[in-house]
Amino acid sequence: SKFSGRATWTIFDPEAADDDMSGQNLVDLLKTARTEDLVSTAYQPIRDLPSGRTVGYETLMRLHDFDGSLISPQVFIPEAERSGAIVELGYWAIERAIRDMKRLDPQATVSVNVSGVQLRAPGFPLRVTEIVSREGMPASQLALEITEGMDIFLEPQALKAVEELRSFGLQIWLDDFGTGYAGLACLREYEFDLIKIDKGFLQDSQSEVGLLMLEDMIGLVHHRGIRVLVEGVETANQLRILENLGVDLVQGYLVGRPASVEKHLSRAHETDAL
Ligand code: C2E
Ligand code: CA
Ligand code: CA
Ligand code: CA
């Protein structure tokens, strides 16, 4: 991407983001995003506990305005879903993530976020499996993150797509666990490879009740034999709490911020030189 050298590229700062963009401008921008090279991907490390090693990366989409400023995913993702642009952007992001991972960390698992609009798109499982096969990545190294808020568990067609992708060998992760209405029901309906607990629960673990809640959620997931990842780890104290609770994986600013593949690679070189 032509923006990869920009300082604004690596860290998404919601305060600095251009959120005042009108709906039509955004729709137009999304239409040309690919051809104009306005879309890019950032990768946030996923750390294994207790080994402390980076074992994966989450792919986070970034959209730039023509002036180079970033548009918040909270703004452009819903619009891309409404307009349907997310479907093609999503295929592009999967291909991009697989290619970037070959350069960054060929053993790592890479996850991509997938919205309901994408799962409902005709031929979605076929397109995804074609990309994975063409790029030659082992299917088990790609994970699809599906958010709990999504009502796919009530939609047989969308659920069928998920099952097709899982039988191809992809990992299926449940994102934002604890925030949606599906809750326990979706844990019963579907066997996930990993569950991501929303950062809100970590923030609430300051209080005694919040900590018990987090402990219960982790116990619930582990009881089903599923690995747990907690998002939004920002302090050493939070990390200690999660280690004590037996969390399998963590993600957050403490461990690493989302960054371009170029940024990650240049940091790795800095470390090598020390
Ligand atoms: P998400 O999937 O829950 O992604 C995690 C969000 O938390 C990211 O925001 C990430 O930058 C942020 N984050 C990571 N560590 C920390 C931390 O320690 N503290 C705090 N406060 N935040 C942290 P981002 O990049 O703005 O993405 C927002 C949402 O946009 C994502 O939430 C996801 O639902 C959606 N999204 C992003 N990329 C894609 C994509 O390629 N496709 C789809 N369908 N959705 C995407
Ligand atoms: Ca603007
Ligand atoms: Ca996610
Ligand atoms: Ca999440």
Side-chain angles (χ1 to χ4, degrees), residues 58-60 111-114 145-147 173-176 196 231 251:
E58 177 178 10
T59 310
L60 293 159
S111 72
V112 291
N113 293 284
V114 169
E145 296 193 13
I146 298 170
T147 88
W173 294 1
L174 182 63
D175 200 3
D176 303 331
K196 290 186 134 185
E231 299 188 287
Q251 210 180 329

Side-chain angles (χ1 to χ4, degrees), residues 4 28 47 51 65-66 68 77 86 106 120 122 128 133 151 161 185 197 199 201 234 238 241 256 261 266:
S4 51
D28 293 341
R47 179 184 288 179
S51 79
D65 206 342
F66 287 108
I77 296 286
I86 194 70
R120 285 180 214 111
V128 173
S133 302
D151 41 10
I197 295 181
K199 53 180 167 277
F201 290 92
E234 294 178 354
Q238 288 176 331
I241 289 171
V261 69
S266 69

Side-chain angles (χ1 to χ4, degrees), residues 125-138:
L126 183 65
R127 279 287 293 274
V128 173
T129 55
E130 275 172 0
I131 294 167
V132 174
S133 302
R134 171 162 36 80
E135 297 300 322
M137 180 190 245

